Structures are given as C-alpha cells and as structure tokens.
Amino acid sequence: MDKIVILDFGSQYTQLIARRVRECQVYCEIWPYHLEGYDLNSPEIKGIILSGSRYSIGDANAPSLPPQVLESGKPVLGICYGMQLLVSTQGGKVVHTKGQEYGKALLQVVENRGIFENLAGDIVCWMSQGGSVKELPPGFRSIARTENCEYAAIRDETGKIWGVQFHPEVSHTPLGREILSNFLFRICACRPEWTPESIIKQQIQWIRNEVKNEKVVCALSGGVDSVTAAVLTYRAIGEQLTCIFVDNGLLRKGEAEQVFSKMKEILGKERVIYKDAAEQFLSAIQGVVDPEEKRKIIGRTFVEVFEEEAKKLGDVSYLLQGTTYPDVIESISIYGPSVRVKTHHNVGGLPEHMQLKVIEPLRFLFKDEVRKLAVELGIPEEIVWRQPFPGPGLAVRIIGEVTEDRLQILRDMDFIIDQELRKSPIYKKLWQSFGVLVPVRSVGVVGDERTYKYVGVLRAVMSEDGMTADWARISYDTMDAIARRVVNEVAGIGRMVYDITSKPPATIEWE
C-alpha cells in the first residue's frame, strides 16, 4: 500500500496533517524528524511531508533536516518551518521576522500547476510563522505570494521539492485539502487505497499470519476501540479468541450489564467471560485520595484480576489491545529515544511475568477511522458512538476518596446528564460529556429547610482526538434541564456548575 511519511519537527498541527492525508484515502505515518531507526527508502513510501515547528531557523536547538530526506529522491512538501528548512538546507536565506505573522492571509497563486493545479487566483490561507524566506536557493522559484510574504509557496525546477509558508492542513485554509490532494496524487502518484474495506482485509490477513494457531485473550472494556479490535480479531481467528470483561465496580449506571449482554450477542456467549471484581477494587482504593495513587492501584488490581482469569483459559500466547495511533504518537519523542516522554497505558507494555505477546490491530488508526471500521464491521451504533471512558472509571471523576455512597450519587447524576444531552443535536459532536462529584458541600434551600449537599460538575468537551479540547457550547435549555433534574432527583447533590475550561490548560478529566 502506498505510504506518505510525515516528519514531525514538533508542530501542534502534525496530527492534523496526518488526518488530512488519511481523509484523501492515502495511508501515512508520523515519524520523528531525526529518523533514528527509520528507513525512507522503502518503495511503499511515495512522498515526504515536513511539518511545522515551534522553533525558528537559527534557534540554538532548532531541528535539522536529515540528509536521507533529499537523498531518498522522493517528492517532498515542506510546511511552514519545513519549507524554511528546505530553503536553508539548499543554500537559500531565512530571516527572523519582527513580530510573528499569524492569522488569515490572501494567497495570490502565480503558477497554477503542481500543488496549485486548478486553483488559480486568490486563496484564503492561514499563516503562523516567526521567520520568512529572504532568498531562494538556486533552481527554486516562487509560485504564490501574500501581501507580506513574497515566497508563500515555492518549488524547485525538478518539480519534486515543494514548500508552503502557510498551513494547508487547518480548516482556516479552505482549499487546503485540495492543495494536499494535488501533492499526494499529482506529485507523488499515490493511489487512494486507504479505505475501511481495505484496512479490514489487510488486518485480518496480518492477524492470521501473526497468531497462526495460538490463543488470544482480550481485555474487553466495551469501548469502541476494544470492541472493534475484538470483532476484527474474531473475524480473523474465530474461536481462538476469548474476551474477558472485568467489572471493577467503577462503571456507569447499567454499563456492565449492557456491555456484557451486547458482546455476547456480537461474539457469542462462549467468547466472552464476565468477572465481577467490584468488591476487590473498592477495597483496594478504600481511603485513597491521591489521584495518581488511585490510578496505580486500580491498574495493578486489574492486572491481578485479569491474569487470574486468563490462567483459567490454559495456554494463551497473545494479549489483544485496542491501542490507537494517538496512543503511539504520544509515547514517541521527536527529540530522540533518550528523552523521557509520556507512556500510554496501552503502549507501555505488560508486567514481565505475564509473558504474553501483544497484538494491536488498530495501532495505526485514529479514533474516527476506528469508528468507520466499526460501522463496516456491523458493530451496533451505541458502541460505535460510545464516548471515551477512562480506565480507572468513575474513580477519577470523584475528587478524593471513592465510596459506595459517592459512586451511587455520581452514577445517578451522570445518567441524567447523558439522558438530557442525547436529546440535543450537539450530542454526536461531543468528544466526552460526564459528571464530576466534588467533595465540597454547599448551602441550599428546599422548601423552607436549609440543605447542605455536594457540588456536582457538568463537563462536556469537543475534540478530534482528545489531545486538545474545547468546552462545548451546550444550549441554556439543556443545561437548565440537567441542573434542575440533578438537584431534584439525585440525593446528595445541591448545586450544579459547568466547567468551561479548555485543554490545555486543563485536562479533560478532573483527576
């Protein structure tokens, strides 16, 4: 399958570039710019895109262009910093500008060929730069300009090296997808093969080749990632797969029963094992208030429970995980293997004594791609659109100690939030929406009596991949309905507030 490699120089938009390429049905991967352990010479690689960066050319620690990029002979598209890097590497001159150019600009195309094929005239584009090209290298020419940027887009005389000073990947460049599409299909000659049907066919064959006749066990959460991974693997190896669903007692109202029932329908009752471990988990976190400690204890307890159940299956060789591409990207440093970065729970590996090989058929898929795969596999809509749910469950949505009483209050509040939001047109646009229980009591009045109850928080965010998020503009009527119902129907809640903090600076979860 044709592939585009995106070299990440530390841009906030790198994942967005990948998503736009995938939307054109072309497979791509994000690699760290230093290319340690990576090879650009594979015949599958049809082109290279250089991302932007928070650095400017000339900064002390500014990333450099690996020689392999130009030595490969592959077509190259440099975006923002990526274009400046190409210019400086080839003998041109890049200068730091006084005051960053940031925002919309009008792009005047002066050569409507290559990446601007069928795009003559003026184009709205999004600029975000702290430097600009002063002199082009020999053999290069300008093919588009803005009022403040003479070299807003360039190419070399061979037609293999292209650069744009603006960001075609962002929605503020309305014709950005067409520009990227021209690079993919006219310059790189890619074929649009990255479709749900082709992914399913490819991954089923890969799973069969990897697993052969050995047994696989899946830790089933009921979320779209783990369910899609399970159904895909079941299509590949059938009864060699067994799924274990651990009820940790920290799930939402009715969730354990719904997940177990639905998965028995999808995979068959012989393929799904239910383990009620609520008492064990709640006992383990009793009295614990530190959020990181809660996470560690819950994670450790899950491994213990899961391992105990997996042993009953006999000779199992593989653990199936629903790891997705953002998990992988967050666990790789663009600055080299020596730099410590965030380790995702799915990517960090298993306790050594478990001695299971990990299989991750969704490892190179974004969440929206997983959902498209799920639809193609015939997975029910209520699972396809199930919102991401943290591994520690409601334990990280109760600030402080987790008790049976607080869990019940939060479940009831969360259930009402979900019911009311599902009536709203905004629901399918939400990345996550949920309640948080704050162990702070607030004075209220019911009838003629004073009350002193907990504060409940409504949290609802919109996001493409969870790495950044903005708070959702829920209608006043919906918020009013949620607040009135929670305060009237949920014992223990006397006041509701709405969290309007974006990520960053806040995280989506409160703990």
Side-chain angles (χ1 to χ4, degrees):
M1 183 178 291
D2 293 346
K3 179 196 297 186
I4 293 292
V5 168
I6 301 166
L7 294 193
D8 183 13
F9 291 88
S11 169
Q12 61 177 320
Y13 298 135
T14 301
Q15 281 203 50
L16 195 51
I17 300 171
R19 296 174 70 86
R20 297 295 174 254
V21 172
R22 299 268 185 102
E23 286 171 3
C24 294
Q25 297 185 337
V26 174
Y27 179 63
C28 66
E29 292 181 10
I30 298 173
W31 292 3
Y33 78 88
H34 49 73
L35 288 176
E36 293 179 42
Y38 295 85
D39 182 12
L40 284 174
N41 294 314
S42 167
E44 292 182 337
I45 299 173
K46 300 301 181 182
I48 303 164
I49 296 177
L50 312 180
S51 82
S53 177
R54 61 188 177 89
Y55 289 97
S56 296
I57 299 293
D59 286 354
N61 298 316
S64 58
L65 185 70
Q68 302 97 296
V69 172
L70 298 179
E71 290 171 359
S72 72
K74 316 270 187 186
V76 180
L77 172 64
I79 296 176
C80 197
Y81 180 85
M83 168 178 148
Q84 296 174 15
L85 202 53
L86 287 169
V87 168
S88 63
T89 302
Q90 296 293 290
K93 185 177 181 182
V94 178
V95 296
H96 185 75
T97 54
K98 295 179 179 178
Q100 191 179 50
E101 185 177 10
Y102 186 85
K104 288 186 179 181
L106 196 61
L107 186 74
Q108 182 185 359
V109 177
V110 296
E111 184 178 288
N112 63 326
R113 56 163 288 191
I115 61 173
F116 292 124
E117 189 80 29
N118 299 322
L119 297 176
D122 293 342
I123 296 173
V124 174
C125 67
W126 184 262
M127 289 284 197
S128 177
Q129 60 175 25
S132 63
V133 175
K134 186 73 172 176
E135 295 177 10
L136 289 178
F140 280 75
R141 62 183 299 170
S142 173
I143 57 174
R145 63 173 66 95
T146 69
E147 183 180 356
N148 298 315
C149 181
E150 183 180 357
Y151 305 115
I154 63 171
R155 70 167 179 88
D156 76 339
E157 58 190 9
T158 71
K160 277 202 166 183
I161 301 177
W162 302 76
V164 292
Q165 187 57 72
F166 58 92
H167 288 272
E169 70 274 22
V170 303
S171 60
H172 302 299
T173 303
L175 294 177
R177 178 170 174 170
E178 285 78 0
I179 293 168
L180 289 172
S181 178
N182 278 334
F183 177 71
L184 299 175
F185 299 119
R186 297 183 184 276
I187 309 301
C188 301
C190 291
R191 292 165 294 184
E193 303 172 315
W194 186 248
T195 63
E197 298 90 339
S198 69
I199 297 168
I200 290 170
K201 183 178 179 181
Q202 180 187 62
Q203 291 307 94
I204 284 177
Q205 190 57 54
W206 175 78
I207 292 167
R208 287 172 178 166
N209 293 342
E210 176 71 22
V211 172
K212 297 183 173 62
N213 296 319
E214 298 186 74
K215 291 182 180 179
V216 178
V217 63
C218 172
L220 192 67
S221 70
V224 66
D225 297 338
S226 70
V227 172
T228 303
V231 172
L232 186 61
T233 303
Y234 181 70
R235 289 271 186 99
I237 60 173
E239 294 184 1
Q240 292 168 241
L241 172 70
T242 302
C243 298
I244 299 174
F245 175 65
V246 176
D247 182 359
N248 59 12
L250 303 169
L251 302 176
R252 290 167 287 197
K253 192 171 186 176
E255 188 168 30
E257 297 80 8
Q258 290 171 3
V259 169
F260 184 53
S261 173
K262 188 58 67 176
M263 291 314 298
K264 284 193 298 182
E265 288 179 22
I266 296 172
L267 299 177
K269 61 182 180 180
E270 299 84 4
R271 305 269 60 82
V272 187
I273 295 171
Y274 175 82
K275 174 62 179 178
D276 183 355
E279 189 175 328
Q280 189 171 340
F281 277 86
L282 292 177
S283 175
I285 59 173
Q286 185 177 5
V288 178
V289 297
D290 179 77
E292 195 61 25
E293 190 62 24
K294 279 195 281 190
R295 287 179 177 273
K296 289 178 181 177
I297 292 172
I298 291 168
R300 189 164 58 242
T301 305
F302 176 82
V303 170
E304 293 170 359
V305 174
F306 182 78
E307 184 179 19
E308 182 182 339
E309 291 301 310
K311 282 180 180 177
K312 298 175 184 177
L313 300 175
D315 188 19
V316 175
S317 301
Y318 286 90
L319 172 68
L320 173 65
Q321 291 193 150
T323 308
T324 58
Y325 203 27
D327 304 337
V328 176
I329 294 168
E330 286 186 344
S331 302
I332 298 174
S333 170
I334 68 163
Y335 303 109
S338 62
V339 180
R340 180 176 176 84
V341 293
K342 174 184 176 182
T343 299
H344 189 275
H345 65 280
N346 276 352
V347 184
L350 300 168
E352 292 182 7
H353 67 269
M354 287 189 76
Q355 297 182 333
L356 289 175
K357 291 172 280 187
V358 175
I359 184 167
E360 300 167 320
L362 311 181
R363 185 178 177 86
F364 290 104
L365 298 181
F366 288 104
K367 178 73 77 174
D368 61 318
E369 293 174 317
V370 174
R371 288 194 165 116
K372 290 175 184 175
L373 221 63
V375 170
E376 188 69 26
L377 289 166
I379 294 171
E381 187 173 283
E382 61 263 36
I383 294 177
V384 174
W385 294 103
R386 183 173 184 254
Q387 295 177 358
F389 189 61
L394 299 180
V396 292
R397 293 178 179 175
I398 295 175
I399 311 304
E401 184 180 4
V402 179
T403 65
E404 283 278 15
D405 179 57
R406 289 179 175 178
L407 276 168
Q408 187 59 51
I409 292 171
L410 180 54
R411 282 196 186 100
D412 291 343
M413 173 172 60
D414 196 74
F415 184 72
I416 291 171
I417 289 171
D418 185 66
Q419 278 189 322
E420 293 300 324
L421 284 175
R422 283 180 184 272
K423 299 175 186 177
S424 170
I426 201 173
Y427 182 75
K428 278 196 175 181
K429 298 178 183 178
L430 298 176
W431 176 260
Q432 279 177 276
S433 52
F434 54 88
V436 179
L437 181 62
V438 179
V440 172
R441 294 180 186 270
S442 174
V443 174
V445 177
V446 176
D448 293 325
E449 295 185 5
R450 174 183 182 274
T451 61
Y452 196 49
K453 299 180 179 181
Y454 289 125
V455 174
V457 179
L458 168 61
R459 179 72 160 148
V461 297
M462 303 178 76
S463 176
E464 286 195 346
D465 49 34
M467 299 188 75
T468 61
D470 192 16
W471 60 278
R473 272 60 172 178
I474 299 171
S475 73
Y476 289 158
D477 287 344
T478 300
M479 286 193 285
D480 178 60
I482 289 171
R484 282 190 293 104
R485 283 195 60 192
V486 169
V487 172
N488 288 326
E489 298 175 30
V490 180
I493 299 288
R495 186 183 297 268
M496 284 294 293
V497 299
Y498 186 34
D499 180 355
I500 59 169
T501 320
S502 296
K503 175 187 180 182
T507 53
I508 294 176
E509 300 291 344
W510 272 47
E511 285 199 339

